[in-house]
Amino acid sequence: MALTSIFYDGPVTESDRAANRAGAADYGVYGPNDFKVTAHPSIPYAVLVKAGRAHGHGVTDEAEIDQVVNCPSLASGTRWDLIVIRRNWQPELGGPSVLVPLTAGAEAVIPASRKIGPGVEDDQPIGFVRWQGGTSAPVEFIDMRTWAGNGGLFARSTKVLGYLAKVGTEVVINGVTWNYRLGTNDTPGWTSTAPLMAPIALAAGYTPFGGGYDPSVHTEKLELGRVFSEGTIGTTAASINVDKARFRYKLGDVSAGHRPPFQKILRPPASPQLGDVTVYVYPDGVVEWECTQTAVLPKTGANGFFIGLDGFSWPAA
């Protein structure tokens, strides 16, 4: 059974308008399983698109039963196909919409063959499917659907960002909020609430402590410009000789964009043999440390050398 499409040319009922979500966002599906792309249980090189409703650019489409979409066979190698809902406003009455597989190639990238033309002909991505040569069943799926609600969009894969790029778009993906905004010189781009991680470039003789602790020493910058440090620092040598008390040793450099506007003074946990340890983070990114005791410390063990940087915070300059 073909799709049923409304809001092309032709009659529309008041019930149609009451249920219509087109206009809330460019694209979307109505429920968690609507138009979900899954494997076909018996037909080779075919997928099932689950029954439900989807909308795009003013048109609502309904599949009363699961729909079969046949994809080309593959003798060898790997191929991704993108399943789309194709809407065509050009026939005399418009529609109905159809489900079409587009060949994407060796990577799951939206292909150039995708039609972009609301009001003329336009494709709504709903799922990537990966085929392996000699295997007639799909081996992997990537969900490309979006859900539009009262507060914005929700999706499952960041690959949807490739077709949602319109200024003002906000979408939540795996707990991270993405916004398509105007940036420097009014150049549009995606920003997110995910922390931007950058390593602290450690000076010679220092390395992440390891041993089950953070495998790297880094800073994370949140969307609002707050920077947090993470990691525990050890030494690369078999032992380290701290021969001067109250002397500032260079520990490393914080990357540009993560540096504080003013000097920061931190009191981190460290090897007890060092006495009181102080870490300084300067606006030019340099990180130094000093202690109140001299000591010769081994690399590891109960008396091993360490300086912990977990959880310290400052605003980015």
mmCIF file of all heavy atoms in Angstrom, residues 168-220:
data_model
loop_
_atom_site.group_PDB
_atom_site.id
_atom_site.type_symbol
_atom_site.label_atom_id
_atom_site.label_comp_id
_atom_site.label_asym_id
_atom_site.label_seq_id
_atom_site.Cartn_x
_atom_site.Cartn_y
_atom_site.Cartn_z
ATOM 1 N N GLY A 168 18.951 29.282 13.532
ATOM 2 C CA GLY A 168 17.857 29.211 14.496
ATOM 3 C C GLY A 168 17.494 27.801 14.903
ATOM 4 O O GLY A 168 16.740 27.608 15.863
ATOM 5 N N THR A 169 18.039 26.792 14.206
ATOM 6 C CA THR A 169 17.723 25.407 14.542
ATOM 7 C C THR A 169 18.348 25.019 15.878
ATOM 8 O O THR A 169 19.503 25.340 16.158
ATOM 9 C CB THR A 169 18.240 24.453 13.453
ATOM 10 O OG1 THR A 169 17.588 24.746 12.218
ATOM 11 C CG2 THR A 169 17.962 22.994 13.813
ATOM 12 N N GLU A 170 17.583 24.319 16.707
ATOM 13 C CA GLU A 170 18.081 23.760 17.965
ATOM 14 C C GLU A 170 17.625 22.318 18.050
ATOM 15 O O GLU A 170 16.446 22.018 17.892
ATOM 16 C CB GLU A 170 17.575 24.549 19.165
ATOM 17 C CG GLU A 170 18.072 24.012 20.505
ATOM 18 C CD GLU A 170 17.670 24.888 21.677
ATOM 19 O OE1 GLU A 170 18.122 26.048 21.729
ATOM 20 O OE2 GLU A 170 16.890 24.406 22.523
ATOM 21 N N VAL A 171 18.572 21.402 18.296
ATOM 22 C CA VAL A 171 18.235 19.986 18.344
ATOM 23 C C VAL A 171 19.036 19.327 19.459
ATOM 24 O O VAL A 171 20.218 19.623 19.651
ATOM 25 C CB VAL A 171 18.516 19.301 16.972
ATOM 26 C CG1 VAL A 171 19.943 19.510 16.512
ATOM 27 C CG2 VAL A 171 18.164 17.820 17.021
ATOM 28 N N VAL A 172 18.379 18.427 20.213
ATOM 29 C CA VAL A 172 19.026 17.675 21.287
ATOM 30 C C VAL A 172 19.377 16.292 20.749
ATOM 31 O O VAL A 172 18.516 15.566 20.254
ATOM 32 C CB VAL A 172 18.109 17.554 22.517
ATOM 33 C CG1 VAL A 172 18.777 16.681 23.586
ATOM 34 C CG2 VAL A 172 17.790 18.934 23.074
ATOM 35 N N ILE A 173 20.683 15.928 20.862
ATOM 36 C CA ILE A 173 21.163 14.641 20.383
ATOM 37 C C ILE A 173 22.005 14.013 21.477
ATOM 38 O O ILE A 173 23.034 14.568 21.868
ATOM 39 C CB ILE A 173 22.003 14.797 19.095
ATOM 40 C CG1 ILE A 173 21.205 15.536 18.010
ATOM 41 C CG2 ILE A 173 22.459 13.434 18.587
ATOM 42 C CD1 ILE A 173 22.040 15.921 16.802
ATOM 43 N N ASN A 174 21.560 12.874 21.977
ATOM 44 C CA ASN A 174 22.298 12.155 23.027
ATOM 45 C C ASN A 174 22.632 13.054 24.215
ATOM 46 O O ASN A 174 23.750 13.034 24.753
ATOM 47 C CB ASN A 174 23.581 11.546 22.444
ATOM 48 C CG ASN A 174 23.295 10.536 21.353
ATOM 49 O OD1 ASN A 174 22.326 9.783 21.417
ATOM 50 N ND2 ASN A 174 24.126 10.520 20.323
ATOM 51 N N GLY A 175 21.662 13.865 24.618
ATOM 52 C CA GLY A 175 21.821 14.702 25.792
ATOM 53 C C GLY A 175 22.565 16.005 25.562
ATOM 54 O O GLY A 175 22.720 16.802 26.490
ATOM 55 N N VAL A 176 23.027 16.253 24.345
ATOM 56 C CA VAL A 176 23.754 17.482 24.008
ATOM 57 C C VAL A 176 22.867 18.348 23.126
ATOM 58 O O VAL A 176 22.262 17.860 22.169
ATOM 59 C CB VAL A 176 25.072 17.157 23.269
ATOM 60 C CG1 VAL A 176 25.769 18.434 22.816
ATOM 61 C CG2 VAL A 176 25.987 16.339 24.170
ATOM 62 N N THR A 177 22.775 19.631 23.445
ATOM 63 C CA THR A 177 21.979 20.567 22.653
ATOM 64 C C THR A 177 22.865 21.230 21.602
ATOM 65 O O THR A 177 23.914 21.797 21.930
ATOM 66 C CB THR A 177 21.349 21.650 23.547
ATOM 67 O OG1 THR A 177 20.516 21.022 24.521
ATOM 68 C CG2 THR A 177 20.507 22.622 22.718
ATOM 69 N N TRP A 178 22.423 21.158 20.352
ATOM 70 C CA TRP A 178 23.131 21.771 19.228
ATOM 71 C C TRP A 178 22.317 22.953 18.706
ATOM 72 O O TRP A 178 21.099 22.860 18.565
ATOM 73 C CB TRP A 178 23.329 20.757 18.106
ATOM 74 C CG TRP A 178 24.299 19.663 18.442
ATOM 75 C CD1 TRP A 178 24.059 18.521 19.149
ATOM 76 C CD2 TRP A 178 25.688 19.619 18.100
ATOM 77 N NE1 TRP A 178 25.191 17.763 19.259
ATOM 78 C CE2 TRP A 178 26.217 18.408 18.620
ATOM 79 C CE3 TRP A 178 26.533 20.468 17.378
ATOM 80 C CZ2 TRP A 178 27.551 18.050 18.452
ATOM 81 C CZ3 TRP A 178 27.861 20.105 17.214
ATOM 82 C CH2 TRP A 178 28.356 18.916 17.753
ATOM 83 N N ASN A 179 22.997 24.054 18.418
ATOM 84 C CA ASN A 179 22.365 25.253 17.879
ATOM 85 C C ASN A 179 23.092 25.684 16.610
ATOM 86 O O ASN A 179 24.334 25.695 16.571
ATOM 87 C CB ASN A 179 22.407 26.411 18.882
ATOM 88 C CG ASN A 179 21.590 26.130 20.124
ATOM 89 O OD1 ASN A 179 20.390 26.341 20.139
ATOM 90 N ND2 ASN A 179 22.239 25.638 21.169
ATOM 91 N N TYR A 180 22.310 26.050 15.594
ATOM 92 C CA TYR A 180 22.912 26.590 14.360
ATOM 93 C C TYR A 180 22.772 28.102 14.426
ATOM 94 O O TYR A 180 21.671 28.645 14.318
ATOM 95 C CB TYR A 180 22.220 26.027 13.119
ATOM 96 C CG TYR A 180 23.043 26.194 11.853
ATOM 97 C CD1 TYR A 180 24.190 25.438 11.647
ATOM 98 C CD2 TYR A 180 22.672 27.107 10.864
ATOM 99 C CE1 TYR A 180 24.946 25.574 10.494
ATOM 100 C CE2 TYR A 180 23.424 27.251 9.711
ATOM 101 C CZ TYR A 180 24.561 26.480 9.532
ATOM 102 O OH TYR A 180 25.319 26.624 8.384
ATOM 103 N N ARG A 181 23.920 28.795 14.639
ATOM 104 C CA ARG A 181 23.917 30.217 14.931
ATOM 105 C C ARG A 181 24.850 30.978 14.003
ATOM 106 O O ARG A 181 25.724 30.397 13.351
ATOM 107 C CB ARG A 181 24.379 30.462 16.376
ATOM 108 C CG ARG A 181 23.520 29.819 17.447
ATOM 109 C CD ARG A 181 24.170 30.039 18.814
ATOM 110 N NE ARG A 181 23.336 29.536 19.896
ATOM 111 C CZ ARG A 181 23.716 29.518 21.162
ATOM 112 N NH1 ARG A 181 24.914 29.964 21.503
ATOM 113 N NH2 ARG A 181 22.913 29.064 22.096
ATOM 114 N N LEU A 182 24.679 32.297 14.022
ATOM 115 C CA LEU A 182 25.622 33.173 13.334
ATOM 116 C C LEU A 182 26.811 33.418 14.248
ATOM 117 O O LEU A 182 26.658 33.780 15.412
ATOM 118 C CB LEU A 182 24.965 34.505 12.966
ATOM 119 C CG LEU A 182 23.824 34.448 11.942
ATOM 120 C CD1 LEU A 182 23.247 35.840 11.719
ATOM 121 C CD2 LEU A 182 24.311 33.862 10.622
ATOM 122 N N GLY A 183 28.006 33.226 13.709
ATOM 123 C CA GLY A 183 29.209 33.443 14.483
ATOM 124 C C GLY A 183 29.968 34.665 14.009
ATOM 125 O O GLY A 183 29.377 35.676 13.596
ATOM 126 N N THR A 184 31.276 34.604 14.032
ATOM 127 C CA THR A 184 32.135 35.704 13.616
ATOM 128 C C THR A 184 31.853 36.093 12.170
ATOM 129 O O THR A 184 31.727 35.227 11.295
ATOM 130 C CB THR A 184 33.613 35.307 13.772
ATOM 131 O OG1 THR A 184 33.841 34.894 15.125
ATOM 132 C CG2 THR A 184 34.525 36.485 13.448
ATOM 133 N N ASN A 185 31.721 37.395 11.934
ATOM 134 C CA ASN A 185 31.416 37.919 10.591
ATOM 135 C C ASN A 185 30.123 37.329 10.029
ATOM 136 O O ASN A 185 29.989 37.154 8.809
ATOM 137 C CB ASN A 185 32.585 37.649 9.623
ATOM 138 C CG ASN A 185 33.856 38.355 10.045
ATOM 139 O OD1 ASN A 185 33.811 39.488 10.526
ATOM 140 N ND2 ASN A 185 34.995 37.694 9.874
ATOM 141 N N ASP A 186 29.193 37.018 10.937
ATOM 142 C CA ASP A 186 27.890 36.469 10.548
ATOM 143 C C ASP A 186 28.006 35.166 9.768
ATOM 144 O O ASP A 186 27.149 34.840 8.941
ATOM 145 C CB ASP A 186 27.091 37.499 9.738
ATOM 146 C CG ASP A 186 26.569 38.628 10.610
ATOM 147 O OD1 ASP A 186 26.503 38.435 11.838
ATOM 148 O OD2 ASP A 186 26.232 39.702 10.069
ATOM 149 N N THR A 187 29.059 34.414 10.030
ATOM 150 C CA THR A 187 29.217 33.104 9.397
ATOM 151 C C THR A 187 28.455 32.068 10.217
ATOM 152 O O THR A 187 28.728 31.896 11.414
ATOM 153 C CB THR A 187 30.699 32.705 9.331
ATOM 154 O OG1 THR A 187 31.408 33.690 8.578
ATOM 155 C CG2 THR A 187 30.862 31.346 8.671
ATOM 156 N N PRO A 188 27.498 31.356 9.623
ATOM 157 C CA PRO A 188 26.708 30.395 10.397
ATOM 158 C C PRO A 188 27.492 29.131 10.692
ATOM 159 O O PRO A 188 28.381 28.728 9.936
ATOM 160 C CB PRO A 188 25.513 30.107 9.481
ATOM 161 C CG PRO A 188 26.033 30.341 8.098
ATOM 162 C CD PRO A 188 27.036 31.460 8.221
ATOM 163 N N GLY A 189 27.147 28.486 11.801
ATOM 164 C CA GLY A 189 27.786 27.229 12.148
ATOM 165 C C GLY A 189 27.128 26.613 13.365
ATOM 166 O O GLY A 189 26.327 27.239 14.053
ATOM 167 N N TRP A 190 27.468 25.359 13.627
ATOM 168 C CA TRP A 190 26.901 24.632 14.762
ATOM 169 C C TRP A 190 27.720 24.873 16.029
ATOM 170 O O TRP A 190 28.953 24.874 15.996
ATOM 171 C CB TRP A 190 26.874 23.123 14.481
ATOM 172 C CG TRP A 190 25.849 22.687 13.493
ATOM 173 C CD1 TRP A 190 26.055 22.322 12.188
ATOM 174 C CD2 TRP A 190 24.437 22.563 13.719
ATOM 175 N NE1 TRP A 190 24.867 21.981 11.592
ATOM 176 C CE2 TRP A 190 23.848 22.115 12.502
ATOM 177 C CE3 TRP A 190 23.612 22.785 14.816
ATOM 178 C CZ2 TRP A 190 22.485 21.882 12.376
ATOM 179 C CZ3 TRP A 190 22.254 22.561 14.686
ATOM 180 C CH2 TRP A 190 21.699 22.115 13.479
ATOM 181 N N THR A 191 27.037 25.100 17.144
ATOM 182 C CA THR A 191 27.650 25.111 18.467
ATOM 183 C C THR A 191 26.877 24.126 19.332
ATOM 184 O O THR A 191 25.728 23.787 19.035
ATOM 185 C CB THR A 191 27.610 26.503 19.120
ATOM 186 O OG1 THR A 191 26.238 26.895 19.321
ATOM 187 C CG2 THR A 191 28.312 27.544 18.249
ATOM 188 N N SER A 192 27.512 23.663 20.398
ATOM 189 C CA SER A 192 26.835 22.682 21.245
ATOM 190 C C SER A 192 27.193 22.901 22.702
ATOM 191 O O SER A 192 28.150 23.617 23.028
ATOM 192 C CB SER A 192 27.218 21.257 20.826
ATOM 193 O OG SER A 192 28.481 20.909 21.348
ATOM 194 N N THR A 193 26.409 22.252 23.564
ATOM 195 C CA THR A 193 26.679 22.299 25.000
ATOM 196 C C THR A 193 27.707 21.258 25.408
ATOM 197 O O THR A 193 28.066 21.186 26.578
ATOM 198 C CB THR A 193 25.385 22.065 25.800
ATOM 199 O OG1 THR A 193 24.811 20.797 25.412
ATOM 200 C CG2 THR A 193 24.378 23.177 25.550
ATOM 201 N N ALA A 194 28.179 20.458 24.465
ATOM 202 C CA ALA A 194 29.214 19.479 24.789
ATOM 203 C C ALA A 194 30.512 20.207 25.119
ATOM 204 O O ALA A 194 30.852 21.206 24.489
ATOM 205 C CB ALA A 194 29.445 18.532 23.606
ATOM 206 N N PRO A 195 31.248 19.730 26.123
ATOM 207 C CA PRO A 195 32.502 20.388 26.458
ATOM 208 C C PRO A 195 33.516 20.260 25.333
ATOM 209 O O PRO A 195 33.609 19.206 24.689
ATOM 210 C CB PRO A 195 32.976 19.658 27.718
ATOM 211 C CG PRO A 195 32.304 18.334 27.667
ATOM 212 C CD PRO A 195 30.981 18.581 26.986
ATOM 213 N N LEU A 196 34.248 21.355 25.073
ATOM 214 C CA LEU A 196 35.321 21.332 24.090
ATOM 215 C C LEU A 196 36.615 20.979 24.822
ATOM 216 O O LEU A 196 37.091 21.738 25.655
ATOM 217 C CB LEU A 196 35.438 22.694 23.401
ATOM 218 C CG LEU A 196 34.191 23.160 22.651
ATOM 219 C CD1 LEU A 196 34.401 24.561 22.079
ATOM 220 C CD2 LEU A 196 33.826 22.188 21.541
ATOM 221 N N MET A 197 37.165 19.830 24.509
ATOM 222 C CA MET A 197 38.314 19.325 25.239
ATOM 223 C C MET A 197 39.609 19.707 24.525
ATOM 224 O O MET A 197 39.695 19.646 23.301
ATOM 225 C CB MET A 197 38.218 17.806 25.380
ATOM 226 C CG MET A 197 39.276 17.184 26.269
ATOM 227 S SD MET A 197 39.076 15.389 26.415
ATOM 228 C CE MET A 197 37.475 15.293 27.204
ATOM 229 N N ALA A 198 40.612 20.099 25.300
ATOM 230 C CA ALA A 198 41.930 20.407 24.750
ATOM 231 C C ALA A 198 42.981 19.939 25.745
ATOM 232 O O ALA A 198 42.844 20.163 26.948
ATOM 233 C CB ALA A 198 42.069 21.903 24.486
ATOM 234 N N PRO A 199 44.043 19.289 25.268
ATOM 235 C CA PRO A 199 45.079 18.808 26.189
ATOM 236 C C PRO A 199 45.895 19.956 26.759
ATOM 237 O O PRO A 199 46.091 20.983 26.107
ATOM 238 C CB PRO A 199 45.933 17.905 25.305
ATOM 239 C CG PRO A 199 45.747 18.450 23.924
ATOM 240 C CD PRO A 199 44.331 18.955 23.866
ATOM 241 N N ILE A 200 46.359 19.786 27.985
ATOM 242 C CA ILE A 200 47.387 20.673 28.522
ATOM 243 C C ILE A 200 48.730 20.129 28.037
ATOM 244 O O ILE A 200 49.054 18.956 28.272
ATOM 245 C CB ILE A 200 47.347 20.710 30.064
ATOM 246 C CG1 ILE A 200 46.006 21.293 30.538
ATOM 247 C CG2 ILE A 200 48.506 21.532 30.617
ATOM 248 C CD1 ILE A 200 45.839 21.281 32.053
ATOM 249 N N ALA A 201 49.483 20.940 27.303
ATOM 250 C CA ALA A 201 50.775 20.502 26.775
ATOM 251 C C ALA A 201 51.780 20.489 27.923
ATOM 252 O O ALA A 201 52.256 21.536 28.366
ATOM 253 C CB ALA A 201 51.231 21.439 25.664
ATOM 254 N N LEU A 202 52.086 19.301 28.428
ATOM 255 C CA LEU A 202 52.937 19.176 29.595
ATOM 256 C C LEU A 202 54.398 19.440 29.249
ATOM 257 O O LEU A 202 54.872 19.076 28.162
ATOM 258 C CB LEU A 202 52.782 17.792 30.214
ATOM 259 C CG LEU A 202 51.381 17.467 30.756
ATOM 260 C CD1 LEU A 202 51.336 16.028 31.268
ATOM 261 C CD2 LEU A 202 50.993 18.436 31.871
ATOM 262 N N ALA A 203 55.112 20.070 30.179
ATOM 263 C CA ALA A 203 56.531 20.357 29.990
ATOM 264 C C ALA A 203 57.334 19.061 30.079
ATOM 265 O O ALA A 203 56.842 18.022 30.540
ATOM 266 C CB ALA A 203 56.994 21.355 31.046
ATOM 267 N N ALA A 204 58.587 19.121 29.629
ATOM 268 C CA ALA A 204 59.465 17.954 29.663
ATOM 269 C C ALA A 204 59.573 17.417 31.082
ATOM 270 O O ALA A 204 59.713 18.176 32.047
ATOM 271 C CB ALA A 204 60.843 18.327 29.130
ATOM 272 N N GLY A 205 59.488 16.099 31.205
ATOM 273 C CA GLY A 205 59.598 15.452 32.503
ATOM 274 C C GLY A 205 58.277 15.114 33.144
ATOM 275 O O GLY A 205 58.246 14.391 34.149
ATOM 276 N N TYR A 206 57.170 15.606 32.565
ATOM 277 C CA TYR A 206 55.845 15.353 33.132
ATOM 278 C C TYR A 206 54.998 14.545 32.153
ATOM 279 O O TYR A 206 55.167 14.618 30.935
ATOM 280 C CB TYR A 206 55.140 16.664 33.463
ATOM 281 C CG TYR A 206 55.872 17.514 34.467
ATOM 282 C CD1 TYR A 206 56.617 18.614 34.054
ATOM 283 C CD2 TYR A 206 55.841 17.222 35.820
ATOM 284 C CE1 TYR A 206 57.303 19.402 34.965
ATOM 285 C CE2 TYR A 206 56.515 17.994 36.750
ATOM 286 C CZ TYR A 206 57.253 19.086 36.312
ATOM 287 O OH TYR A 206 57.927 19.851 37.214
ATOM 288 N N THR A 207 54.051 13.797 32.707
ATOM 289 C CA THR A 207 53.172 12.954 31.901
ATOM 290 C C THR A 207 51.919 12.656 32.723
ATOM 291 O O THR A 207 51.940 12.805 33.958
ATOM 292 C CB THR A 207 53.886 11.631 31.529
ATOM 293 O OG1 THR A 207 53.092 10.907 30.581
ATOM 294 C CG2 THR A 207 54.101 10.756 32.756
ATOM 295 N N PRO A 208 50.820 12.256 32.078
ATOM 296 C CA PRO A 208 49.665 11.817 32.871
ATOM 297 C C PRO A 208 50.054 10.695 33.829
ATOM 298 O O PRO A 208 50.834 9.802 33.495
ATOM 299 C CB PRO A 208 48.674 11.340 31.811
ATOM 300 C CG PRO A 208 49.023 12.144 30.598
ATOM 301 C CD PRO A 208 50.512 12.291 30.640
ATOM 302 N N PHE A 209 49.517 10.738 35.040
ATOM 303 C CA PHE A 209 49.898 9.812 36.098
ATOM 304 C C PHE A 209 49.571 8.368 35.739
ATOM 305 O O PHE A 209 50.333 7.451 36.026
ATOM 306 C CB PHE A 209 49.204 10.217 37.403
ATOM 307 C CG PHE A 209 49.624 9.409 38.597
ATOM 308 C CD1 PHE A 209 50.850 9.633 39.204
ATOM 309 C CD2 PHE A 209 48.797 8.429 39.119
ATOM 310 C CE1 PHE A 209 51.247 8.893 40.307
ATOM 311 C CE2 PHE A 209 49.174 7.684 40.224
ATOM 312 C CZ PHE A 209 50.408 7.918 40.820
ATOM 313 N N GLY A 210 48.412 8.142 35.102
ATOM 314 C CA GLY A 210 48.027 6.790 34.706
ATOM 315 C C GLY A 210 47.578 5.966 35.896
ATOM 316 O O GLY A 210 47.075 6.483 36.897
ATOM 317 N N GLY A 211 47.746 4.657 35.794
ATOM 318 C CA GLY A 211 47.386 3.769 36.897
ATOM 319 C C GLY A 211 45.912 3.759 37.209
ATOM 320 O O GLY A 211 45.504 3.615 38.372
ATOM 321 N N GLY A 212 45.065 3.927 36.187
ATOM 322 C CA GLY A 212 43.623 3.932 36.407
ATOM 323 C C GLY A 212 43.038 5.308 36.584
ATOM 324 O O GLY A 212 41.816 5.461 36.637
ATOM 325 N N TYR A 213 43.894 6.339 36.673
ATOM 326 C CA TYR A 213 43.398 7.703 36.745
ATOM 327 C C TYR A 213 43.203 8.240 35.320
ATOM 328 O O TYR A 213 43.399 7.511 34.340
ATOM 329 C CB TYR A 213 44.378 8.569 37.546
ATOM 330 C CG TYR A 213 44.475 8.148 38.997
ATOM 331 C CD1 TYR A 213 45.404 7.193 39.398
ATOM 332 C CD2 TYR A 213 43.619 8.678 39.954
ATOM 333 C CE1 TYR A 213 45.484 6.781 40.720
ATOM 334 C CE2 TYR A 213 43.686 8.274 41.283
ATOM 335 C CZ TYR A 213 44.616 7.323 41.658
ATOM 336 O OH TYR A 213 44.685 6.920 42.959
ATOM 337 N N ASP A 214 42.802 9.497 35.201
ATOM 338 C CA ASP A 214 42.563 10.052 33.870
ATOM 339 C C ASP A 214 43.732 9.747 32.937
ATOM 340 O O ASP A 214 44.886 10.014 33.285
ATOM 341 C CB ASP A 214 42.385 11.576 33.948
ATOM 342 C CG ASP A 214 41.003 11.979 34.420
ATOM 343 O OD1 ASP A 214 40.093 11.142 34.292
ATOM 344 O OD2 ASP A 214 40.839 13.102 34.908
ATOM 345 N N PRO A 215 43.440 9.204 31.750
ATOM 346 C CA PRO A 215 44.529 8.889 30.822
ATOM 347 C C PRO A 215 45.125 10.118 30.154
ATOM 348 O O PRO A 215 46.104 10.012 29.432
ATOM 349 C CB PRO A 215 43.851 7.978 29.789
ATOM 350 C CG PRO A 215 42.420 8.399 29.814
ATOM 351 C CD PRO A 215 42.133 8.766 31.245
ATOM 352 N N SER A 216 44.527 11.291 30.364
ATOM 353 C CA SER A 216 45.070 12.519 29.796
ATOM 354 C C SER A 216 44.918 13.645 30.807
ATOM 355 O O SER A 216 44.134 13.556 31.755
ATOM 356 C CB SER A 216 44.352 12.889 28.496
ATOM 357 O OG SER A 216 43.010 13.243 28.764
ATOM 358 N N VAL A 217 45.688 14.696 30.600
ATOM 359 C CA VAL A 217 45.570 15.914 31.388
ATOM 360 C C VAL A 217 45.069 16.979 30.434
ATOM 361 O O VAL A 217 45.697 17.261 29.409
ATOM 362 C CB VAL A 217 46.924 16.320 32.002
ATOM 363 C CG1 VAL A 217 46.781 17.610 32.793
ATOM 364 C CG2 VAL A 217 47.461 15.199 32.884
ATOM 365 N N HIS A 218 43.905 17.550 30.733
ATOM 366 C CA HIS A 218 43.267 18.406 29.737
ATOM 367 C C HIS A 218 42.367 19.438 30.411
ATOM 368 O O HIS A 218 42.152 19.404 31.623
ATOM 369 C CB HIS A 218 42.445 17.567 28.760
ATOM 370 C CG HIS A 218 41.395 16.734 29.430
ATOM 371 N ND1 HIS A 218 41.639 15.463 29.897
ATOM 372 C CD2 HIS A 218 40.096 16.987 29.748
ATOM 373 C CE1 HIS A 218 40.549 14.965 30.451
ATOM 374 N NE2 HIS A 218 39.589 15.876 30.382
ATOM 375 N N THR A 219 41.834 20.324 29.592
ATOM 376 C CA THR A 219 40.793 21.258 30.028
ATOM 377 C C THR A 219 39.564 21.036 29.166
ATOM 378 O O THR A 219 39.662 20.626 28.010
ATOM 379 C CB THR A 219 41.256 22.726 29.909
ATOM 380 O OG1 THR A 219 41.692 22.977 28.568
ATOM 381 C CG2 THR A 219 42.388 23.023 30.871
ATOM 382 N N GLU A 220 38.400 21.309 29.740
ATOM 383 C CA GLU A 220 37.135 21.215 29.020
ATOM 384 C C GLU A 220 36.438 22.566 29.106
ATOM 385 O O GLU A 220 36.249 23.110 30.198
ATOM 386 C CB GLU A 220 36.242 20.125 29.621
ATOM 387 C CG GLU A 220 36.823 18.730 29.503
ATOM 388 C CD GLU A 220 35.919 17.675 30.090
ATOM 389 O OE1 GLU A 220 34.871 18.046 30.663
ATOM 390 O OE2 GLU A 220 36.242 16.486 29.972
#
